[in-house]
Amino acid sequence: MKNNENKLSMDTLASLCKRRGFIFQSSEIYGGINGFWDYGPLGCELKRNVRETWWKNIVQNRENVVGLDASIIMHPKVWEASGHVGGFQDPMQTCQICKKHLRADQVWEGIKESAWFGSLVRAIEGVPDTNEVTFTGPSLLRWAIRDGKKLAPGLALVRNPQVTLSWLAEKANTTDTVNISCIDLIRHVATEQLAQTGLQTPCPHCGGPLTEPRQFNLMFETYVGAIKSEDHKTYLRPETAQGIFAQFGNVLATSRQKIPFGIAQIGKAFRNEINPRNYTFRSREFEQMELEFFVKPGTDQQWHEYWVEERMKWYQSIGLPAESLQKYVYKKEELAHYASACVDIMYNFPFGMQELEGIAARGDFDLSRHQQFSGKSMEYFNQETNEKFVPHVVEPSAGVDRIVLALLCNAYKEEWLGKDNQVLPAEPGKQPPEGFEARTVMRFHPKIAPVKVAVFPLLKNKPELVEKARGVFDTLQKWYPSFWDVAGAIGRRYRRQDEIGTPFCVTIDFDTLTNNTVTIRERDSMKQERIEISKLADKIHETLA
Ligand code: ATP
């Protein structure tokens, strides 16, 4: 079901994902562990398809990109050179009342999404937005002593409304009205009260004062060998990229590649995120697909533009519509000191426009640092021109789990089906009209769908149908992930496949026994067609390009 704004709720999606075996909470039998997820039978197929289309597009279909599979635990010096030891930190704030830890750059976003802020907005202006409004001191006071007490007991405005009210009165310069947006009000209250009472930015959870931002290292530490001392300390990699930089020399020496060329890697990465949230979007263990594309200094911009466009095309090729994607171009002042350009590819998730991938032109920062820390040359020698240089790099860095989540969000549809396959969009919270039935359908691109085809004998108690169907299934299964289902009416079997996004269902009936034709039904159009068994594999294959 979708909420009032017709946006998919993450609870609805998570419930389907659990029910049908896409995603489970890690260690669920022990109450789960925050920030870790397991992919079930369908989820792991979906994820595998994402990885495989990426690998095909980035490595297999290009002569100038090769692969690598580096270890997760590396020499600790790798992380000193990369700047992650000491540098890979998010400033963090802690609520002095409820003790929750928050990433400083996400606090205001959290406040805007919080229950107490929503209630304050509604109490004051009656509509749930943050536009500039006129409100009065008394309405604010009413909120503070009623809803505020329940929802945000720690909020300065609730604990000491007079400070805010006198500030408002002063700002209004008359008695009781002032034009200000709610978020600005909270911001002012925070800073004003900081000046007057020492209170800080409010906590999104309870309104309590947050500490000053403090540094927090996101790398998971571990020890290599039996002795747990500083000398034996190392880290689970927080990104796959450094394995590529550290092996640059070996790959160059063995692959006969010439600049420009790339090294690609897919693998797990670990970050001890302060606030894992939005389902799998921000996890503590996740998977990255990274390409380091090494170029001649001075050609960075042209290759950066090339890769941004390549990557945008790839997202559309796996079924994410162009209108759901956006590019965020970093402003000069937002770039890391060594980077000359960065573009994030964003997807319009139900919880907002969020990053799927970052594409950065990182100059020679990484290779130069490894050269400096290891004492090994990272230079490239161009025999034709007799030039020697440390290559620059363009890095498209994507997260498998975020892409899987975007694909799940994009695929999820609820519909009402009438006779003759008339389709109405389902209305949230309502029953379908007379003569219609509800279906949930995952409209995955066939390339991405975990199961490509389901095979049904029309009746399960007719051995000749079952045997014939089994033959079709055995053949298809050699080529595609296939599903065998004999249980229930054909309509119910279709519904079960729709819900996991299977693009094709094939039914074997009595006519099949005489003329070797079957009915193939397509998930989205629900059109049924009779075709020869020998043409089935090709028909499915056509849709996977
Ligand atoms: P964010 O700002 O969201 O923390 P980031 O900019 O630090 O992400 P990068 O270091 O650029 O992320 O990592 C590249 C990609 O790896 C991201 O675009 C994202 O798809 C994925 N990724 C990073 N952190 C996580 C995480 N905690 N959970 C899932 N995927 C992640």
Side-chain angles (χ1 to χ4, degrees):
M1 213 175 299
K2 307 201 169 187
N3 69 18
N4 291 342
E5 292 150 326
N6 225 10
K7 273 193 190 154
L8 170 64
S9 97
M10 292 322 272
D11 289 347
T12 305
L13 184 68
S15 132
L16 178 125
C17 285
K18 178 168 180 202
R19 188 158 39 82
R20 300 312 311 267
F22 283 95
I23 300 174
F24 308 126
Q25 210 185 356
S26 164
S27 325
E28 194 195 273
I29 57 168
Y30 295 104
I33 169 165
N34 197 9
F36 297 88
W37 300 93
D38 293 346
Y39 289 81
L42 294 179
C44 72
E45 290 292 336
L46 187 59
K47 214 172 163 191
R48 209 168 56 84
N49 293 340
V50 169
R51 280 191 220 108
E52 278 177 11
T53 56
W54 185 88
W55 193 262
K56 196 166 170 193
N57 179 281
I58 297 290
V59 183
Q60 195 185 323
N61 291 356
R62 297 172 199 269
E63 275 180 66
N64 61 352
V65 178
V66 292
L68 181 77
D69 188 0
S71 63
I72 287 174
I73 291 175
M74 288 182 269
H75 196 289
K77 274 248 177 322
V78 167
W79 306 111
E80 280 175 44
S82 70
H84 285 85
V85 173
F88 192 59
Q89 296 180 342
D90 275 336
M92 181 188 84
Q93 292 177 277
T94 308
C95 175
Q96 292 173 20
I97 294 181
C98 73
K99 307 293 177 204
K100 289 222 162 63
H101 303 300
L102 300 134
R103 243 171 78 166
D105 63 341
Q106 292 171 355
V107 165
W108 286 99
E109 196 187 321
I111 290 173
K112 281 194 223 163
E113 288 166 5
S114 70
W116 63 259
F117 185 71
S119 152
L120 176 64
V121 171
R122 283 190 300 276
I124 289 167
E125 52 183 315
V127 282
D129 66 30
T130 54
N131 293 333
E132 190 117 317
V133 286
T134 302
F135 61 81
T136 61
S139 61
L140 202 59
L141 187 60
R142 241 190 334 269
W143 179 83
I145 57 180
R146 267 198 258 152
D147 297 344
K149 264 217 162 76
K150 275 180 254 150
L151 295 170
L155 195 66
L157 165 64
V158 171
R159 289 195 285 163
N160 190 0
Q162 280 318 321
V163 179
T164 306
L165 292 180
S166 47
W167 171 77
L168 272 175
E170 202 176 295
K171 184 168 168 62
N173 217 357
T174 54
T175 44
D176 57 1
T177 71
V178 62
N179 278 327
I180 188 171
S181 73
C182 279
I183 199 74
D184 279 347
L185 171 79
I186 294 299
R187 249 184 238 285
H188 281 289
V189 171
T191 45
E192 285 294 308
Q193 298 217 348
L194 177 64
Q196 293 187 25
T197 63
L199 292 175
Q200 308 266 352
T201 308
C203 165
H205 300 280
C206 75
L210 298 181
T211 60
E212 286 293 330
R214 284 189 302 242
Q215 294 305 99
F216 179 80
N217 195 304
L218 295 184
M219 282 199 294
F220 282 98
E221 291 174 3
T222 187
Y223 298 89
V224 172
I227 303 159
K228 289 195 167 50
S229 75
E230 276 301 296
D231 290 349
H232 297 84
K233 188 163 88 181
T234 184
Y235 307 91
L236 302 192
R237 68 181 176 200
E239 60 175 36
T240 58
Q242 296 306 322
I244 297 180
F245 295 126
Q247 289 294 4
F248 171 76
N250 277 332
V251 176
L252 184 64
T254 54
S255 65
R256 303 181 60 208
Q257 289 289 343
K258 290 203 172 79
I259 293 276
F261 82 99
I263 307 176
Q265 174 165 224
I266 300 179
K268 291 265 184 167
F270 304 81
R271 295 182 190 177
N272 200 359
E273 298 277 1
I274 296 148
N275 284 330
R277 64 195 183 122
N278 290 331
Y279 198 21
T280 58
F281 180 82
R282 186 175 301 287
S283 311
R284 289 180 166 140
E285 174 175 340
F286 55 98
E287 212 166 326
Q288 288 188 315
M289 305 189 288
E290 295 194 296
L291 166 67
E292 304 303 327
F293 196 76
F294 300 99
V295 305
K296 191 172 167 202
T299 62
D300 314 47
Q301 192 190 338
Q302 95 196 41
W303 282 111
H304 185 255
E305 285 166 14
Y306 169 82
W307 281 110
V308 171
E309 289 323 306
E310 284 291 289
R311 298 301 301 137
M312 285 297 281
K313 277 192 250 162
W314 181 78
Y315 283 103
Q316 291 167 63
S317 80
I318 59 169
L320 296 178
E323 62 275 15
S324 70
L325 299 167
Q326 227 176 56
K327 288 186 255 184
Y328 178 81
V329 182
Y330 281 59
K331 300 182 196 79
K332 267 238 138 34
E333 61 273 19
E334 292 172 319
L335 291 171
H337 65 91
Y338 47 78
S340 60
C342 189
V343 168
D344 283 347
I345 297 182
M346 323 270 283
Y347 172 76
N348 194 6
F349 284 98
F351 45 84
M353 210 29 110
Q354 297 280 350
E355 172 182 337
L356 293 176
E357 166 162 355
I359 303 159
R362 300 173 59 88
D364 66 0
F365 177 76
D366 306 276
L367 288 181
S368 297
R369 292 274 294 190
H370 285 297
Q371 180 164 280
Q372 183 193 334
F373 278 69
S374 68
K376 304 277 178 336
S377 169
M378 295 286 167
E379 280 179 325
Y380 174 83
F381 179 62
N382 184 337
Q383 285 170 338
E384 277 131 51
T385 58
N386 237 356
E387 285 172 292
K388 229 178 182 187
F389 56 86
V390 175
H392 283 198
V393 75
V394 174
E395 176 194 78
S397 167
V400 182
D401 311 77
R402 287 192 185 174
I403 296 169
V404 166
L405 186 60
L407 290 168
L408 286 165
C409 292
N410 182 66
Y412 188 97
K413 298 280 176 306
E414 286 180 11
E415 296 172 349
W416 289 339
L417 298 187
K419 293 192 189 67
D420 310 321
N421 291 335
Q422 188 192 349
V423 180
L424 299 175
E427 287 179 38
K430 290 201 185 141
Q431 289 300 316
E434 190 65 29
F436 282 76
E437 63 162 325
R439 83 157 175 168
T440 302
V441 53
M442 295 299 277
R443 290 180 182 257
F444 294 122
H445 189 292
K447 201 152 59 174
I448 290 301
V451 177
K452 310 295 182 208
V453 57
V455 178
F456 314 146
L458 182 65
L459 299 167
K460 72 169 171 192
N461 52 4
K462 295 282 174 204
E464 62 275 34
L465 285 184
V466 174
E467 192 189 334
K468 185 80 186 169
R470 200 71 213 178
V472 173
F473 175 74
D474 287 345
T475 310
L476 289 177
Q477 202 189 17
K478 290 199 182 82
W479 297 98
Y480 309 113
S482 309
F483 198 92
W484 170 255
D485 193 357
V486 294
I490 291 291
R492 298 231 347 243
R493 289 186 245 173
Y494 284 157
R495 283 306 88 77
R496 286 200 287 264
Q497 294 305 315
D498 289 344
E499 218 185 22
I500 63 169
T502 306
F504 297 105
C505 293
V506 169
T507 305
I508 282 78
D509 59 19
F510 290 104
D511 286 347
T512 316
L513 302 178
T514 55
N515 65 9
N516 269 328
T517 63
V518 293
T519 305
I520 182 164
R521 179 257 196 191
E522 199 270 327
R523 177 196 68 205
D524 297 344
S525 65
M526 290 174 286
K527 284 212 181 84
Q528 300 187 12
E529 194 189 334
R530 247 197 119 93
I531 68 168
E532 284 169 32
I533 291 174
S534 58
K535 303 227 165 91
L536 270 178
D538 279 351
K539 164 103 187 157
I540 298 166
H541 184 76
E542 276 166 22
T543 65
L544 304 180

